[in-house]
Amino acid sequence: MSRIGKLPITIPSGVSVSQKDDVITVKGPKGELSQHVNPSISVEIEDGKITLKENEELMKDNLKQRHAFHGLYRSLVNNMVVGVSEGYKETLRLVGVGYRVSNQGQVLEFSLGFSHNIFMVLPKEIKVETKSERNKDPLIMLESCDKQLLGQVCAKIRSFRKPEPYKGKGIRFENEYVRRKSGKSASAK
């Protein structure tokens, strides 16, 4: 049995959880999310708590996979509950001379030192805000109730210019530490 999978999930006020067949739907003030759950995991919703248990009859030949599913689906359902009640936020910082970003609605426009600008259309589930101040790095603030989608979009944005180790230029997360390398050094013989 998974240690993470055993933990019950408390349902906060204002959030409703329903189950139909193998699909769990969570509704809250920030939005609505649904997740398919493998039949080897049974879900019980009672007394303001969600409990996930392994179904002993299914997947007898692959117990390790069943244990892994137990922890995985507990984490996914917990992320949905937290997402629709509180939401998730991520901030990206553009470090580099002349690096700029602006948004018009759901379209981000990046100027990252290439010969052309990069345009990215964000999904409608993500709220975006850009901030550019003098003598400060431009910021991109992203907010969503879907943790997986938010992480995927942040990874895509970061892939346009990953932080390089010599000057530290690139797109990085707000609290990310970039390990710096020393450049060429002259040695006396």
Side-chain angles (χ1 to χ4, degrees):
M1 184 175 269
S2 169
R3 276 189 244 160
I4 292 174
K6 284 192 287 189
L7 301 172
I9 302 166
T10 56
I11 302 170
S13 62
V15 175
S16 64
V17 180
S18 61
Q19 180 182 9
K20 186 177 182 185
D21 298 327
D22 291 334
V23 177
I24 295 179
T25 305
V26 182
K27 293 180 187 173
K30 299 269 184 180
E32 178 180 345
L33 297 170
S34 59
Q35 173 69 45
H36 176 268
V37 177
N38 193 293
S40 64
I41 304 299
S42 61
V43 180
E44 297 172 3
I45 304 165
E46 53 189 31
D47 300 332
K49 291 189 187 279
I50 304 170
T51 311
L52 285 83
K53 294 183 179 168
E54 295 180 21
N55 195 340
E56 300 296 329
E57 290 85 46
L58 297 173
M59 292 182 72
K60 287 185 178 179
D61 57 333
N62 198 348
L63 291 176
K64 265 187 146 176
Q65 184 63 53
R66 189 172 73 193
H67 294 327
F69 278 158
H70 192 198
L72 168 74
Y73 286 117
R74 191 265 178 205
S75 292
L76 291 176
V77 172
N78 186 49
N79 288 344
M80 290 193 318
V81 169
V82 171
V84 298
S85 60
E86 300 168 18
Y88 292 101
K89 294 179 182 175
E90 202 64 68
T91 304
L92 296 167
R93 178 182 298 277
L94 280 71
V95 179
V97 177
Y99 287 7
R100 290 188 303 276
V101 66
S102 63
N103 73 308
Q104 292 178 343
Q106 292 296 98
V107 179
L108 284 173
E109 180 182 359
F110 294 94
S111 176
L112 299 173
F114 297 116
S115 61
H116 59 283
N117 287 350
I118 299 172
F119 294 90
M120 181 179 183
V121 179
L122 296 176
K124 65 181 184 305
E125 293 90 5
I126 293 184
K127 294 178 189 144
V128 64
E129 182 185 338
T130 58
K131 187 192 271 185
S132 297
E133 295 179 12
R134 278 183 68 102
N135 300 328
K136 290 190 178 178
D137 296 328
L139 297 174
I140 307 168
M141 281 87 70
L142 301 166
E143 187 176 346
S144 178
C145 64
D146 192 347
K147 188 175 186 179
Q148 293 176 33
L149 181 66
L150 184 65
Q152 186 177 1
V153 168
C154 287
K156 179 66 177 171
I157 291 172
R158 189 175 180 272
S159 73
F160 295 146
R161 272 282 195 206
K162 289 186 179 171
E164 55 95 18
Y166 295 102
K167 291 185 179 178
K169 292 168 38 170
I171 301 174
R172 62 174 85 165
F173 290 98
E174 180 73 64
N175 54 4
E176 182 179 0
Y177 172 73
V178 177
R179 197 160 162 218
R180 303 289 294 271
K181 291 182 179 180
S182 63
K184 293 180 181 177
S185 60
S187 59
K189 291 188 177 186

